[in-house]
């Protein structure tokens, strides 16, 4: 059973049979529209962002599997807040404020590629990224927001 792997970088939810996807998988003889539809379905949450896509093709049966990577946490935070970049001097200036709900949403999006074993810890990892970006969480230092998560203050928001 021979398997081939094709990796492409595509904008979420907008794959087409044209380049770069078409020329990359055309030679394998898979159903192009099925591949495009599945990529768009799986990457719809990342509209407007470039995501790594890995297509594994069985060259005998022409069956395929699609795996969507996620953009870096910093890119998801900036997209969620509609900002171009973080603070020049994190700690001295604040670039923006992320709500706990937004941190939770990003934690869910990144969950498969994080070290966290539940959404609560995934949310805390996202908050940790905010520290280096100069972004507050719920109006406070992200480290204080992480402590509040540990204390159970956001348990009503952070439901699995």
């Amino acid at each position: 059973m021979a398997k081939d792997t094709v990796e492409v970088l595509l904008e979420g939810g907008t794959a087409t049979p044209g380049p770069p996807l078409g020329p990359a998988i055309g030679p394998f003889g898979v159903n192009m529209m099925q591949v495009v539809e599945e990529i768009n379905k799986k990457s719809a949450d990342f509209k407007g962002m470039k995501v790594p896509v890995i297509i594994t093709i069985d060259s005998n049966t022409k069956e395929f599997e699609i795996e969507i990577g996620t953009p870096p946490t910093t890119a998801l935070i900036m997209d969620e807040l509609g900002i171009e970049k973080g603070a020049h001097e994190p700690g001295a200036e604040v670039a923006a404020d992320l709500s706990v709900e937004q941190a939770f949403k990003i934690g869910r999006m990144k969950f498969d590629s994080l070290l966290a074993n539940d959404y609560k810890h995934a949310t805390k990892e996202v908050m940790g990224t905010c520290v280096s970006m100069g972004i507050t969480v719920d109006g406070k230092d992200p480290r204080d927001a992480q402590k509040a998560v540990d204390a159970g203050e956001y348990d009503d928001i952070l439901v699995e």
Side-chain angles (χ1 to χ4, degrees):
M1 186 165 96
K3 289 208 184 256
D4 293 296
T5 304
V6 176
E7 294 184 39
V8 287
L9 194 62
L10 299 169
E11 189 171 310
T14 62
T16 67
L21 188 60
I25 65 168
F28 297 103
V30 293
N31 182 322
M32 183 71 70
M33 286 319 292
Q34 282 181 339
V35 173
V36 168
E37 284 171 22
E38 190 167 335
I39 289 172
N40 287 338
K41 190 171 75 182
K42 287 187 169 188
S43 66
D45 285 346
F46 303 114
K47 221 172 191 60
M49 285 185 254
K50 295 272 189 199
V51 290
V53 177
I54 300 166
I55 306 153
T56 307
I57 302 163
D58 182 322
S59 45
N60 297 329
T61 64
K62 306 295 181 215
E63 288 179 5
F64 60 89
E65 285 178 17
I66 305 228
E67 193 180 315
I68 306 290
T70 54
T73 304
T74 52
L76 293 172
I77 291 170
M78 290 187 301
D79 185 68
E80 185 67 30
L81 293 172
I83 59 173
E84 297 292 313
K85 56 186 187 285
H88 288 292
E89 292 180 45
E93 66 175 289
V94 175
D97 185 58
L98 189 72
S99 72
V100 174
E101 289 91 346
Q102 289 171 310
F104 178 61
K105 176 182 167 188
I106 295 166
R108 277 200 330 251
M109 290 166 88
K110 288 286 296 181
F111 190 72
D112 290 341
S113 58
L114 294 174
L115 299 171
N117 53 5
D118 60 38
Y119 289 138
K120 196 174 199 175
H121 288 91
T123 303
K124 285 177 59 183
E125 274 192 55
V126 172
M127 291 174 175
T129 303
C130 290
V131 173
S132 62
M133 294 177 72
I135 292 173
T136 55
V137 177
D138 243 16
K140 38 178 116 119
D141 182 295
R143 290 169 284 237
D144 293 334
Q146 288 173 322
K147 288 177 189 152
V149 168
D150 286 337
E153 288 180 35
Y154 296 111
D155 283 357
D156 55 328
I157 296 168
L158 308 175
V159 286
E160 300 296 309

